[in-house]
Amino acid sequence: MRYQQLLALAAKLPAMAQELKTAENKVPGCLSTVHVHASVQNDGTLSFQGDSDALISKGLVALLVRGLSGSTADAIANVKPEFIKESGITASLTP
């Protein structure tokens, strides 16, 4: 995935409510400040919201929000992590 695509996703990410940017929702180990919040919907699916102070990280958060919101916990658990390498975004990730 190209950086331009991640930047485009970042630009379209809906704003995350300030009250959700808590220590509990902060992603540990990121060089950037990243927050992700998940909530269970009435139909049992999950909805994600997120934000980051860095555009590439924000694009990655947008990928998660768009790709996983509306899925069940079981469906998310079955996502194969190999898609990260196949998408070419590993260069954007810190170990």
Side-chain angles (χ1 to χ4, degrees):
M1 179 171 282
R2 296 187 172 149
Y3 287 116
Q4 294 90 344
Q5 291 171 304
L6 287 175
L7 295 176
L9 287 173
K12 295 178 183 177
L13 184 66
M16 183 180 196
Q18 199 63 35
E19 61 267 15
L20 294 177
K21 295 180 182 180
T22 63
E24 181 179 275
N25 291 333
K26 188 171 185 286
V27 177
C30 288
L31 295 177
S32 307
T33 301
V34 177
H35 291 92
V36 175
H37 175 75
S39 57
V40 179
Q41 303 304 295
N42 291 335
D43 63 359
T45 62
L46 295 168
S47 176
F48 292 92
Q49 296 177 39
D51 195 15
S52 176
D53 62 351
L55 287 177
I56 296 295
S57 297
K58 190 170 186 168
L60 294 168
V61 169
L63 192 62
L64 173 134
V65 168
R66 290 180 60 162
L68 299 179
S69 287
S71 299
T72 64
D74 287 339
I76 293 170
N78 287 321
V79 172
K80 304 289 185 229
E82 290 80 18
F83 86 91
I84 296 171
K85 285 184 181 177
E86 293 170 7
S87 69
I89 62 174
T90 53
S92 303
L93 305 175
T94 54

